Amino acid sequence: MADPRHRATLLRYVRGVCLALLCVITALFAVATVRTFSLDVNAGLHLARWEETKRVGFDVSQRQREEMLENFKEAVRIPTVSHSPTDINTTALLAFGRLLRKAFPTVFASSLVQHEVVADYSHLFWVQGSQPDLVPYMLLAHIDVVPASESDGWDAPPFSAKEIDNFIYGRGTLDNKECVMGILQALEYLLLKGYKPRRGFYIGLGHDEEVSGLNGAVNTVRLLKQRNVQLSFLLDEGLLVIDGVMKGLDGPAALLGVSEKGSATVKLSVTTAPGHSSMPPRESSIGILAAAVKRLEDNPMPIMFGQGPERGTFEHLAHKFILPLRFLASNLWLFAPIVGRLLALKQDTNAFARTTTAVTMFNGGVKVNVLPSVAEAYVNLRIHSAQSLQEVMDLIDSTVGDQRVRVELLDGFDPLPISSYSETSFGFQILKKSILDVFPQVTVAPGICVANTDSRHYKDLAADIYRFAPIWAKAGDAQRIHGINERISKKNYEDMVGFYFTLIQNCDIKKLPESHSGVHEF
Ligand SMILES: CCCCCCCC/C=C\CCCCCCCC(=O)N[C@@H](CC(N)=O)C(=O)O
Ligand SMILES: [Zn+2]
Ligand SMILES: [Zn+2]
């Protein structure tokens, strides 16, 4: 570039391009600044004129409060542990059935309630409504729990229901005996107060949810299908109220699960010739498999943040984030890739951003001086809403990329459909109102359940399935689920009963109020 005229032209050109780029970036930021969401969905609900129905108040005596907590503790003390579909504690499940009859005599004696045992240990209740033209809804919970061992570091024996500092400790206090007992306790009190629902509803209590619900939930669904039941909506466990769980989120938020991730359980195996360890090959079956597993861990599934219901979570909560997160969450059209990357940095929020890959089992070898003929690993993936099981399997194949590694899909399903969460969605709005009636200080947002629930078996019975329990989770509490020191505060358990008590009555309206739209400011 010897000619100075050419150099000057080039400089002018480069400066022009830079200026244009700067203008575009400034314009984008200007638009982004102006476009700050305030999706105050709570406001509309408060303004709406809800149909008035005959209601009873949730006023329990001190004696009833003690009895309510004692019933719950008794439930926690029964070790209804599921180890595998063929290894469940049937003795405990039968004892649990007896406890239900003892704890809720009014429910079992009421002429409004039909009760039946399904698949030997699950329970199905039908509570008759006075207006058969109102489409029924269903509440789900499960009786079984995952194993727990005190030696893992519990502060109290996991089946003791011991009270420490106003918390009840025990396996199942968060997953999911608080819902089982909370729902039936609410119904017991409602019936005791002479309440008669207008809208009929079902209560399903599964006995093998922790091992996929293939007996309890699947047979309950079969029965309901034979009876041509269609549900207005269904509520199961899943998400909860988070308070101080997500950094930068100011105030508590109730996340109402509108879908759940898909799942894949994949077996990887390598077979090589056995032989004497004194004459090993360059690569063993264990080494080949370990390298494949490492490749899967080093190459996580793509970040898909913003393409599933998690986008709705951030849009609904945007105004509750502190700056600069509020700015990012308010403008996902621009910043979704950045927010996705930020979420992917942490173990629990990563689950909201992508399909997760967890290597959960690894076996190989039989003796120290024998070359292992087989090595196998199990990988459990939870599939993001915007991805399919087939896409995930294709990615696993290409990442493993080694013909010697056999890849088998043992079990899997696509992500579940996304339930409605609009202003006209009966289930979503009734649940939101019920949450706000009990916890007026929370912001309600749709969410994605990163684990699976029995509700997935019900997808032909209800277009709208929600996953939420009114558990008040502080930082670290989510890790107690399936972990150590699972616990719930006595106050929270009472609020749970209050929530179902309110919800059942709120469901009695015929339809949503005409105008209860939220305020959208851009
Ligand atoms: C971006 C927001 C971050 C907020 C963090 C929220 C933390 C979520 C907390 C809890 C999730 C609790 C999940 C409870 C449901 C558990 C159901 C379960 O264990 N299912 C088993 C068995 C099955 N049915 O398949 C499972 O393996 O998924
Ligand atoms: Zn559960
Ligand atoms: Zn569980």
Side-chain angles (χ1 to χ4, degrees):
M1 186 86 53
D3 189 340
R5 272 176 314 161
H6 280 157
R7 200 170 31 201
T9 316
L10 187 72
L11 261 175
R12 262 202 310 277
Y13 176 75
V14 170
R15 220 179 285 137
V17 170
C18 286
L19 201 69
L21 270 175
L22 203 69
C23 286
V24 171
I25 291 169
T26 312
L28 282 175
F29 273 86
V31 173
T33 314
V34 173
R35 194 179 186 278
T36 300
F37 267 132
S38 170
L39 199 60
D40 187 356
V41 277
N42 296 359
L45 268 184
H46 292 313
L47 295 174
R49 292 188 38 195
W50 290 77
E51 183 188 335
E52 292 201 1
T53 53
K54 225 169 130 192
R55 300 183 75 93
V56 292
F58 185 59
D59 39 20
V60 288
S61 66
Q62 187 52 32
R63 190 191 56 76
Q64 282 177 314
R65 179 164 285 125
E66 281 159 20
E67 179 191 72
M68 170 190 332
L69 291 171
E70 202 39 54
N71 284 339
F72 178 58
K73 287 181 183 174
E74 271 201 61
V76 174
R77 289 187 193 116
I78 303 177
T80 49
V81 178
S82 289
H83 291 274
S84 75
T86 51
D87 185 2
I88 57 175
N89 188 343
T90 54
T91 313
L93 288 168
L94 290 174
F96 202 92
R98 288 194 294 277
L99 168 68
L100 294 183
R101 288 170 176 85
K102 188 184 88 175
F104 308 117
T106 319
V107 171
F108 280 86
S110 170
S111 60
L112 295 177
V113 181
Q114 278 170 30
H115 165 255
E116 57 199 304
V117 171
V118 180
D120 299 330
Y121 314 105
S122 286
H123 298 262
L124 175 63
F125 299 83
W126 161 243
V127 186
Q128 193 186 315
S130 59
Q131 295 197 9
D133 55 315
L134 300 183
V135 184
Y137 63 100
M138 185 158 190
L139 306 176
L140 281 192
H142 66 88
I143 294 168
D144 63 326
V145 296
V146 293
S149 162
E150 193 178 354
S151 59
D152 287 342
W154 284 71
D155 294 340
F159 297 99
S160 65
K162 189 174 163 188
E163 256 186 54
I164 305 176
D165 296 336
N166 286 319
F167 282 89
I168 298 169
Y169 278 66
R171 178 59 87 226
T173 50
L174 297 174
D175 180 15
N176 181 240
K177 286 177 176 168
E178 81 292 7
C179 290
V180 171
M181 300 303 280
I183 293 168
L184 288 180
Q185 189 69 72
L187 180 58
E188 176 80 7
Y189 287 149
L190 282 166
L191 295 171
L192 273 174
K193 285 175 180 281
Y195 168 77
K196 292 187 173 65
R198 288 165 82 185
R199 188 184 294 273
F201 61 99
Y202 293 90
I203 299 170
L205 308 178
H207 73 270
D208 58 350
E209 189 275 346
E210 294 294 0
V211 287
S212 287
L214 298 178
N215 277 310
V218 167
N219 281 302
T220 306
V221 168
R222 188 170 299 148
L223 213 65
L224 294 174
K225 278 188 177 173
Q226 280 164 7
R227 297 172 189 171
N228 294 319
V229 170
Q230 274 298 315
L231 301 166
S232 157
F233 74 92
L234 183 142
L235 175 67
D236 195 2
E237 62 169 342
L239 289 177
L240 30 71
V241 179
I242 53 168
D243 181 12
V245 170
M246 213 188 326
K247 270 217 175 91
L249 183 65
D250 190 15
L255 301 182
L256 196 38
V258 293
S259 184
E260 61 189 55
K261 290 176 95 174
S263 173
T265 302
V266 178
K267 180 178 171 184
L268 304 182
S269 54
V270 178
T271 310
T272 50
H276 201 287
S277 62
S278 59
M279 294 164 285
R282 203 179 59 77
E283 285 179 290
S284 65
S285 56
I286 293 177
I288 297 166
L289 184 64
V293 163
K294 185 80 174 79
R295 279 196 294 283
L296 283 178
E297 287 192 340
D298 286 347
N299 297 284
M301 294 288 161
I303 296 177
M304 308 197 83
F305 174 80
Q307 299 174 48
E310 73 284 353
R311 188 183 189 97
T313 310
F314 280 77
E315 286 176 348
H316 279 69
L317 297 181
H319 65 294
K320 304 294 286 183
F321 280 105
I322 55 167
L323 285 168
L325 292 178
R326 191 187 311 162
F327 179 65
L328 299 184
S330 303
N331 295 286
L332 291 181
W333 60 278
L334 182 61
F335 297 123
I338 297 175
V339 176
R341 278 178 179 276
L342 289 175
L343 291 177
L345 294 175
K346 271 187 67 200
Q347 194 176 332
D348 47 1
T349 46
N350 180 45
F352 293 83
R354 57 152 57 101
T355 295
T356 51
T357 308
V359 183
T360 49
M361 286 158 73
F362 198 105
N363 309 314
V366 287
K367 195 169 181 305
V368 287
N369 60 355
V370 176
L371 295 173
S373 61
V374 186
E376 53 190 37
Y378 292 82
V379 187
N380 188 240
L381 302 106
R382 301 302 171 114
I383 306 171
H384 186 277
S385 296
Q387 226 170 10
S388 69
L389 174 60
Q390 188 55 55
E391 284 163 0
V392 166
M393 290 309 294
D394 292 346
L395 280 169
I396 292 177
D397 279 335
S398 63
T399 304
V400 167
D402 185 337
Q403 294 301 314
R404 297 169 299 175
V405 181
R406 185 165 176 223
V407 179
E408 276 170 274
L409 174 65
L410 297 185
D411 181 28
F413 48 89
D414 282 320
L416 276 292
I418 297 168
S419 304
S420 68
Y421 53 93
S422 70
E423 289 159 7
T424 55
S425 166
F426 182 80
F428 189 84
Q429 296 302 334
I430 287 285
L431 286 166
K432 187 158 84 176
K433 176 171 168 40
S434 308
I435 293 168
L436 291 172
D437 284 348
V438 180
F439 303 120
Q441 69 277 45
V442 306
T443 305
V444 181
I448 175 81
C449 184
V450 295
N452 294 115
T453 69
D454 264 355
S455 72
R456 70 190 162 89
H457 300 295
Y458 287 75
K459 67 178 195 305
D460 295 339
L461 295 179
D464 285 331
I465 294 180
Y466 302 101
R467 297 118 180 125
F468 173 79
I471 297 166
W472 196 279
K474 298 250 186 190
D477 283 345
Q479 286 69 31
R480 298 175 191 274
I481 302 173
H482 289 204
I484 59 170
N485 287 329
E486 188 176 347
R487 65 176 196 187
I488 192 168
S489 74
K490 292 197 285 181
K491 161 89 173 68
N492 195 169
Y493 181 66
E494 287 170 23
D495 284 343
M496 300 227 29
V497 178
F499 169 78
Y500 292 113
F501 191 92
T502 306
L503 171 66
I504 291 170
Q505 297 192 77
N506 283 347
C507 284
D508 274 344
I509 58 162
K510 284 201 180 87
K511 57 183 177 64
L512 291 174
E514 277 311 321
S515 170
H516 68 289
S517 61
V519 180
H520 301 242
E521 289 165 14
F522 292 91

